[in-house]
Amino acid sequence: MPDPRLELYIPEPRHRPGDRPSFEHLALPVAGETRRPDVLEEESAMRDMPFGLVRVLDEAGQAVGPWAPDIAPDLLREGLRAMLLTRLFDDRLFRAHRQGKTSFYMKSLGEEAIGAAQAMALSAGDMCFPTYRVLSWLMARRYPLIDLVNQIFSNEKDPLKGRQLPILYSARDYGFYSLSGNLGSRFGHAVGWAMASAYRNDDKIALAYIGEGSTAEGNFHEGLTFAGVYHAPCILCITNNQWAISSFSGIAGGNETTFAAKAIGHGLPGLRVDGNDFLAIWAATRWAAERARANRGATLIELFTYRAAGHSTSDDPTKYRPSDEAEAWPLGDPIDRLKQHLIAIGEWDEERHAALAEGLDNEVRAAVKEAEAVGTLGKSKPSVREMFEDVFETPDWRLIEQRRELGI
Amino acid sequence: MPDPRLELYIPEPRHRPGDRPSFEHLALPVAGETRRPDVLEEESAMRDMPFGLVRVLDEAGQAVGPWAPDIAPDLLREGLRAMLLTRLFDDRLFRAHRQGKTSFYMKSLGEEAIGAAQAMALSAGDMCFPTYRVLSWLMARRYPLIDLVNQIFSNEKDPLKGRQLPILYSARDYGFYSLSGNLGSRFGHAVGWAMASAYRNDDKIALAYIGEGSTAEGNFHEGLTFAGVYHAPCILCITNNQWAISSFSGIAGGNETTFAAKAIGHGLPGLRVDGNDFLAIWAATRWAAERARANRGATLIELFTYRAAGHSTSDDPTKYRPSDEAEAWPLGDPIDRLKQHLIAIGEWDEERHAALAEGLDNEVRAAVKEAEAVGTLGKSKPSVREMFEDVFETPDWRLIEQRRELGI
Amino acid sequence: MTVMNMIQALNSALDVMLERDPDTLIFGEDAGYFGGVFRVTDGLQKKHGLKRCFDTPIAEGGIIATAIGMGAYGLRPIAEIQFVDYILPAFDQLVSEAARLRYRSGGEFHAPITVRAPYGGGIFGGQTHSQSPEAIFAHVTGLKTVIPSNPHDAKGLLIASIEDNDPVIFLEPKRLYNGPFDGRHGEKLKTWAGDPLAEVPEGYYTVPLGKASVVREGADVTILAYGTMVHVARAGIEDSGIDAELIDLRSIVPLDIETITASVAKTGRCVIVHEASRFGGFGGELSALVQERCFWALKSPIERVAGWDTPYPHAFEWDYFPGPGRIAAALARVMEN
Amino acid sequence: MTVMNMIQALNSALDVMLERDPDTLIFGEDAGYFGGVFRVTDGLQKKHGLKRCFDTPIAEGGIIATAIGMGAYGLRPIAEIQFVDYILPAFDQLVSEAARLRYRSGGEFHAPITVRAPYGGGIFGGQTHSQSPEAIFAHVTGLKTVIPSNPHDAKGLLIASIEDNDPVIFLEPKRLYNGPFDGRHGEKLKTWAGDPLAEVPEGYYTVPLGKASVVREGADVTILAYGTMVHVARAGIEDSGIDAELIDLRSIVPLDIETITASVAKTGRCVIVHEASRFGGFGGELSALVQERCFWALKSPIERVAGWDTPYPHAFEWDYFPGPGRIAAALARVMEN
Ligand SMILES: Cc1ncc(C[n+]2csc(CCOP(=O)(O)OP(=O)(O)O)c2C)c(N)n1
Ligand SMILES: Cc1ncc(C[n+]2csc(CCOP(=O)(O)OP(=O)(O)O)c2C)c(N)n1
Ligand SMILES: [Mg+2]
Ligand SMILES: [Mg+2]
C-alpha cells in the first residue's frame, strides 16, 4: 500500500490578471443542439438536460433548433428596448455614484437579457423574487424611471422612504418582490409564495433568482427541497455569471459539475440555458411556466452568462481577473445578439437602433434630472418620521417615545 | 388555453395504520446487479450509481457480484458481535427507561449493520461524526459498556459529567465525535475535520452521518458544497431509514428521487447501498475510503434501510404507520442476514450464535448492574461543580460567582 | 367554558382560526398527520384537510422562508418549530426577512406569520430541548414575542398572534402543557383541572398582545415574570411570606411598560425572574427599564433570578432551574432595605 | 513601532500568527487571492500560500461548520464573515455547536476558532451592512465577544483571540478601519496618522481579553463604551464639558466587571453607549450589572444612549446613529442630580 499523503485542494481560476483569458475548455454546445423535451416529460427522462445548453441564436443571428420560439417582432423589439434601457440607465447611475449622488450602485452589464426575457415570458400576476442584478425585469415591466432614481438617491420621493440601500427595490405591482442585501434569503419565499398560489387554486407562479455564488447557501437547498416536495409552481433560476465578487465559480462548486445539475438531487427538471440569448431564455421560461401551471411543479434553470462589469461600485475586477476576460466570453453580448437577430429577420436596422438608444438615453437623463431636482443623497431625504414607521404595523411606545426624543 | 387551476400537493405515505404494508413499488435491484466502478473513476462516468443499489448478500446468504468483499471470517464474526451487542444493549436500556432509570433512549433496531461495518472498514485514526442511531460503531470499536450506561444514567461516573441527554455520547479515542440534539449540524464538521487532515498531510479521513429526514437542512447542502469544492477526504452517509419521527421519506423529497442523487449536483460520486447488508456497506465504505485517501475527495453514500423501532422512548409508531410495516421490509434484518451468510460459508452455527447472544447479554446485564450500583437518573449525579466547568477553558467571574451563590 | 390544559387550549385556538379564516394554514415537522410531538395540532389535519395542516421537511429555515412567502402572497401561515432550540437555523429568516420585510419594502410586503415553539426547561430535556432564547428575539426590531403562562391566555394570545399583521414568535412553556408547575419538582404532578385559568371559552376570543396581567397584588415588591416562572414566582412568594405583587408579562414585545412602572412606583422594589441564562438575558432589559423609569422610587437594588450562565445541563436540571427557593431568597434580600 | 491603520494592524496580527503557528489558517468569502473586501487579508495568500488563506463558498453556516471541524481536529482556524450582518445564517453553528462543544463533550473536543467580522454603521451601508448584533452573542454561554476601538488594541486583541482556546467573535468596527470617527460626520475624514494608538509594534504582542481600558479618567460620571462609540463618547464628553471617566470595554465577554464597578463606585453616575438598537441591547445587561453592584453609590439613573429600535435606515444614518450630541445631553441629564 502506498503511503497516503493527503493534500488540501483549493480551486483556482484558469486566468488571473496578466494572463490571456480563454474559455476554450468549456466546449459549449452549438445553438440548436440541445433537445427540447415535452413540457410534461417525467423528470427521470430528462437527466441529460442539466449537462446540455439551450441555445437558440446562432452565430449569424438566426433562431435555430427545437427551442426557437415563435415571438412577434414587436415583442422582440420591446425586449431590446428593456435591455438597452437597462444598460443606459446603469451607465448613467454608475456615474452618478462617482459624483457622490448616491452611496452605492450595481450594474447588470452582460446580463440584461435575463430579467427582460423572463418579465416578458411571464404573466402580469406572476411574481419574481429578484437579485440585485435583474433591473431589466423592471425595465421590461415599465417601472417608472423616476421612482428608480429617487430610490437610488434616497431622496424625499424615494418610494422606499429612505430605508433601503440604493437599488434594493421593491415593486409589488410590477411583480418584483422586495430585495435585501442578504444573499439567497428570498429564494424560499418564492417557493412559499408559489405554494400559496396553489393553495388558493390561483394561476399565478413565482420566479426566484439566485447568483451562482449564492447557491452555496443553505437557503438555496431548502428552497429546492420544499419546491420538490410540494411540487410548488415556480421557476428557480441560477444566474451563473461565473463570478461572485472576486471569487470564480469554482469556489461555488462550478468546476465539479453544472449548477443546473443540482436539480437532479431534488427530482426537478434542470435546464442549462445560454443567458445571453434572449430567445433561449424566453423559450425555457415559457417551457417551465407551462409545466408549473400544469401542476407539474418547479424547474431549475441555470442561466449561463458572464458578469461583464465589476461587482458593484465598491469593486475593481482588474484586481482578480484579466481585464479583457469579458471580451473573450464566447456567448457574446445579449443586446448585440438580439439586435443582430432582429436585423437578420429584417425587423430592425442600425438607424432605428441608434434612434432608440438616443431616445432611451434622453428618458434616463430626464429622470435623473427630475430626481436631482428633488435632491441627491444627503441633500434631500424623506421625513425622519419615516424612520419609525413600518417597524410594526402600528408603532409601540418605544418608537413613539424615541421619535419624541428626536423631537419629531 | 385550458383554465389553469393550481393545486397544492402534499405527499402522503402509501400506508397508514390499518393498511396492509407493502414495498413492491420499490423494484429493488437484486444482489450483485449494480456495477462497481473503479475507485479512481471520474464522477461524470458514475451518474448512474445513485439510481442503483449496491447489494452483496443474496437471498441464500451468499456474497455475490462485483462488490463482494474479501473479509476474513473472524472480522465478520466481530461485526456480528457488535450488531448483536447493540441490539441487546438497546433492548435492555430501552426497558431501563420504562423503569425510570433514565430520561430518554433511542434504538438502532434494524440499522445495526451500518455503524458496525463502517467502524470496521475504517482505520483507528479516522473520525466518525455520528447521529444518535449508530451505537454499533461504538460496539465495534469496543467502547466500554459501563461508560455507555453511566452516561445514560447521568450518574456520578457519567463520562460526559451529567451535561448531556442520554445517548448523546462523545468518544474521541474511539473515533466518535460529540453528538448533539441538533440534527445535521455536525455534518459540515466532518468536512472541516477532513480538510484539516488534508491540510496537515495526514492520512486520516472523516465519515459523517445524517438521517434522510435531516438532509433537508441547509447544513447538509453546505457540507456537500465544501466537500465538493475542496475535495475533502471524507465519506458522507445518509441513513435513509424511511422515517423521520412520524414523517415518511416523501416529506424529505424521497418520492421524487433517491437521496444518493444529491451527490450529482456537487460532482460527487453517489452510491446507494443496501443498509441491511453488512458486506455491501463494508465494501462501499472501503471503496469510498480508498478514493478519499487517494486525494479524489468525498463520496456520498445513501444507506437504504428501515427504522424498525419507534423514533425514541417518546414515540409510538403505530400512530402513523402500519404496525407490521417492518416485517414487510424486503431487505430483511441485518443481523439475520450476516448470521445466515456466516452459516452458509460454514463459519457459524445456531449454537455458537446462541452462546454469543447469551455472553453478550450477560455483559450488558453486568454493565447495567455496575452502573446501577453507582446510581440511576436522579439517584446519583456528578459533582454540581461540573455544571460550571467547560463552559470556557477557564471559568470567568460570572461562573465563579454563580457557583459560590449555589454554595459549592 | 371547558376545562382545558394548555395543549387543548392551543389546539382549540388553531381549530377556531382554521374554521374562521381560510387564509390560515399550519405546518411544521410532524405537525400534520401525527399532530405534533406535543399533540398541539392533533386532529386538525383530519378535521380541516391535508392542505390546512401538514408535515414539512426538517429544515427550520425552509419552514420560515415558506411561511414568509405565503404571508407575502396574502395567507396567514402558522408555523411550528418542534423545539425552540431548533429555531436557530431559521434565525436569519426571522431577523433579516420576517422582521424587516415591511420596513424595507416601504410597506409593500409584510409577514403576518406566527411561529409557535415549545420552550423552556423542567422536563429533563437536556441542552437542546430546554432552552429559553427569548432575549435574542426581543432585541430584533420588527419581531413580537409572546409567552403565555396558562391555558386561558394561551388560547387568547395565540388567536391574537395569528390575527396580528406582524411576525410573532409564540413560545409555549412546555413544562406547563399538562399542568401548572411551581418549581417544586419533588412534588406530585399537578394537572390544570381546578385551576380557574384552565376554564377556557370554546369559541373565539383574544387576549391582546402587550397587556400584562397582575397575577397577585402586593405592596412591598414587584416581581416580573413570564411563562413557567409565573408559577414558580408564586411559590417563591409563598415561601417568603412577603407581600409581593406578581406581574405576568404575557408578551415581552410589545411590553406593557405602564403596568410595570406603576407597580414598581408603588412597591419600590423589583425582582425579575426568568429561566434563560442571566447574562444578556431579557432580565437585563427589564432591569434597565425599571431603573430608568423608577429610579427615585427604588428602595433597594433590582434583583435578577435566572438560569446560570452555563448551557442547560441535563443531570443538574434542578440546580440550574431558578426555583422558588432562589426567588424567596431574592425577595428577602430586597426587603432588607 | 509603525503607524498602522486598523486594517494594517489586523493584517499584521494575521501575518504574525500565520508565521508563528502552522496550525493557523484563514478563510472566508473573498478573503484569499483578493484579500478581503476590506483588504484585511491582503497579501497573506501570496506570502503564506494558497492553503493558509483562501476563498470559501458563500455559505456562512458552512464556513463556521468547517472551522469547527478543523478546530476539533487540532487546527486553529480564523474565519472571516464578510459583514457581521451575514453571520446570522451561521448562528446555529455558533450557538449550538461552537459554543457548546467543550461543555457537552466533557472537554473531549473544543472549538478554538476566531470569527472576524466587520461591524457597525456610519458608512451609509444601509440595513444589511451596518448592524451591531453583539448582544445576541453576549447572551450565548460559551462564546467570547471582542470589539477593538483602535489599531493597537485591534492587533493585540486579535492575536489573543486566535490563541484563545474558546470560540471568539471578533467584531471590527468598520467605520474605524481607516481612521478614528467621533460621530461628527460633517467634518473632514481623519486618518489614524498621529494617533498614539496607531503606533503598533510590528511583531507579536497581545492585549488580554477581559481587560477594559480607562481611556480618560474623570470624577463625575462613568461612560461605558466599545468600538466606534469610544471615539463618539470622547467627543460627547468634549461637547458637554463634564469630567467623565471613559471606559473602553474592549471585550464584552469576558467583561471586566472590576474596572466598571470601581469607576461607578467612584463617580456615582453612569452612561452606557452603543450603536446597536437599544431594546434588548447589551446596554441593558451593563445597566443591570452596574445597578446591582453600585446601587448605593448611584446619584442618578443610569442612562443608555443607543440606536433607535428600528432597523438601520439608509437615508437616516445620522438621525439613527447615537452621536456626540445625544451623549452630551445624557451626560448633562445625569449631572442634574
Ligand atoms: C448572506 C450574505 N453573505 C455575503 C454577502 C456579501 N456579498 C454580496 S454580493 C456577494 C457575491 C454574490 O455572488 P453571486 O451569488 O454569484 O451573485 P452575483 O453578484 O454574481 O450576481 C457577496 C459574497 C451577502 N450580501 N449576503
Ligand atoms: C435542527 C433540529 N430540528 C428538529 C429536531 C427534532 N427531531 C429530532 S429527531 C427528528 C427526526 C430525524 O429524522 P431522520 O433525520 O430521518 O433521522 P432518524 O431519526 O430517522 O434516524 C426530528 C425532527 C432536531 N433534533 N433538530
Ligand atoms: Mg455570480
Ligand atoms: Mg430517518
Side-chain angles (χ1 to χ4, degrees), chain A residues 38-334:
Chain A
D38 186 82
V39 160
L40 301 183
E41 183 64 275
E42 291 295 324
E43 177 276 332
S44 56
M46 289 191 279
R47 292 195 190 123
D48 55 322
M49 295 304 296
F51 306 100
L53 189 65
V54 174
R55 298 182 62 184
V56 168
L57 291 172
D58 70 8
E59 307 285 304
Q62 295 297 342
V64 300
W67 288 92
D70 185 23
I71 316 184
D74 268 355
L75 270 183
L76 291 177
R77 279 185 293 259
E78 182 69 21
L80 188 67
R81 179 194 161 278
M83 290 159 71
L84 202 51
L85 180 55
T86 302
R87 187 163 299 178
L88 294 166
F89 186 91
D90 272 357
D91 270 349
R92 198 160 293 268
L93 274 293
F94 193 87
R95 266 181 283 144
H97 173 263
R98 294 275 180 262
Q99 297 158 352
K101 293 176 188 163
T102 176
S103 57
F104 185 70
Y105 197 76
M106 296 177 98
K107 287 179 162 190
S108 317
L109 190 69
E111 304 176 33
E112 296 93 341
I114 295 169
Q118 298 198 298
M120 291 171 60
L122 295 188
S123 306
D126 299 333
M127 182 71 71
C128 96
F129 291 72
T131 64
Y132 42 68
R133 239 183 270 286
V134 285
L135 174 59
S136 60
W137 175 291
L138 287 172
M139 296 306 195
R141 291 282 171 105
R142 296 196 174 252
Y143 186 76
L145 297 188
I146 180 66
D147 290 339
L148 294 175
V149 188
N150 286 334
Q151 198 279 329
I152 292 163
F153 289 173
S154 296
N155 66 20
E156 199 191 324
K157 295 204 168 158
D158 171 1
L160 302 186
K161 304 171 187 175
R163 300 190 193 126
Q164 264 290 37
L165 198 66
I167 80 155
L168 299 184
Y169 315 115
S170 177
R172 187 181 178 110
D173 296 342
Y174 299 80
F176 193 94
Y177 186 69
S178 160
L179 267 164
S180 142
N182 300 58
L183 295 169
S185 53
R186 278 92 44 224
F187 203 73
H189 300 192
V191 177
W193 196 95
M195 286 171 67
S197 177
Y199 172 85
R200 279 259 200 89
N201 304 122
D202 198 350
D203 63 356
K204 301 189 183 79
I205 66 172
L207 183 146
Y209 288 107
I210 198 165
E212 94 293 341
S214 307
T215 61
E217 292 280 3
N219 281 315
F220 167 73
H221 169 74
E222 296 182 347
L224 287 186
T225 300
F226 279 68
V229 168
Y230 300 110
H231 300 183
C234 58
I235 308 177
L236 303 170
C237 299
I238 301 167
T239 302
N240 175 9
N241 64 8
Q242 303 181 60
W243 289 92
I245 309 186
S246 75
S247 72
F248 84 118
S249 61
I251 293 292
N255 273 6
E256 315 299 324
T257 188
T258 70
F259 290 93
K262 296 193 196 292
I264 297 173
H266 298 273
L268 300 176
L271 303 179
R272 196 150 156 268
V273 178
D274 177 348
N276 290 12
D277 178 339
F278 184 93
L279 277 79
I281 301 165
W282 196 91
T285 307
R286 275 290 167 113
W287 185 94
E290 209 181 308
R291 189 174 168 95
R293 284 196 234 272
N295 276 308
R296 298 302 286 268
T299 299
L300 183 68
I301 300 182
E302 172 183 350
L303 298 152
F304 199 20
T305 180
Y306 182 86
R307 192 197 77 206
H311 173 73
S312 72
T313 43
S314 318
D315 184 43
D316 173 5
T318 64
K319 288 257 167 60
Y320 50 79
R321 68 183 191 187
S323 55
D324 52 350
E325 202 179 65
E327 285 129 60
W329 175 236
L331 297 179
D333 178 84

Side-chain angles (χ1 to χ4, degrees), chain B residues 80-275:
Chain B
L80 187 67
R81 179 195 162 278
M83 288 158 71
L84 202 51
L85 180 55
T86 302
R87 187 163 298 178
L88 294 165
F89 186 91
D90 272 357
D91 270 349
R92 198 159 292 270
L93 274 293
F94 193 87
R95 266 182 284 144
H97 173 263
R98 295 275 180 259
Q99 297 158 352
K101 293 175 187 163
T102 176
S103 58
F104 186 70
Y105 197 76
M106 295 176 97
K107 287 178 160 190
S108 317
L109 191 68
E111 305 176 33
E112 296 92 342
I114 295 170
Q118 299 198 299
M120 291 171 59
L122 295 188
S123 307
D126 298 334
M127 182 70 71
C128 96
F129 291 72
T131 63
Y132 42 70
R133 241 183 267 286
V134 285
L135 174 59
S136 60
W137 174 292
L138 287 173
M139 296 307 192
R141 291 280 171 104
R142 295 193 174 256
Y143 185 76
L145 297 188
I146 180 65
D147 289 339
L148 293 175
V149 189
N150 286 334
Q151 198 280 327
I152 292 164
F153 289 173
S154 296
N155 66 20
E156 199 191 323
K157 295 203 168 161
D158 171 0
L160 302 186
K161 305 172 187 176
R163 299 190 193 124
Q164 263 292 36
L165 198 67
I167 81 155
L168 298 184
Y169 315 114
S170 177
R172 186 181 179 110
D173 295 342
Y174 300 80
F176 192 94
Y177 186 69
S178 160
L179 266 162
S180 143
N182 300 59
L183 296 169
S185 53
R186 278 91 46 222
F187 203 73
H189 300 191
V191 178
W193 196 95
M195 286 172 68
S197 177
Y199 172 86
R200 278 261 198 89
N201 302 122
D202 198 349
D203 63 355
K204 301 189 182 79
I205 66 173
L207 183 146
Y209 288 107
I210 198 165
E212 94 293 339
S214 307
T215 61
E217 292 280 3
N219 280 316
F220 167 74
H221 169 75
E222 296 181 347
L224 286 186
T225 300
F226 278 68
V229 168
Y230 301 110
H231 300 184
C234 58
I235 307 178
L236 303 170
C237 298
I238 301 168
T239 303
N240 176 10
N241 63 8
Q242 303 180 59
W243 288 94
I245 310 185
S246 76
S247 72
F248 84 118
S249 62
I251 293 292
N255 274 4
E256 315 299 325
T257 188
T258 71
F259 290 94
K262 295 192 196 293
I264 297 174
H266 298 273
L268 299 175
L271 303 180
R272 195 149 155 270
V273 178
D274 177 348

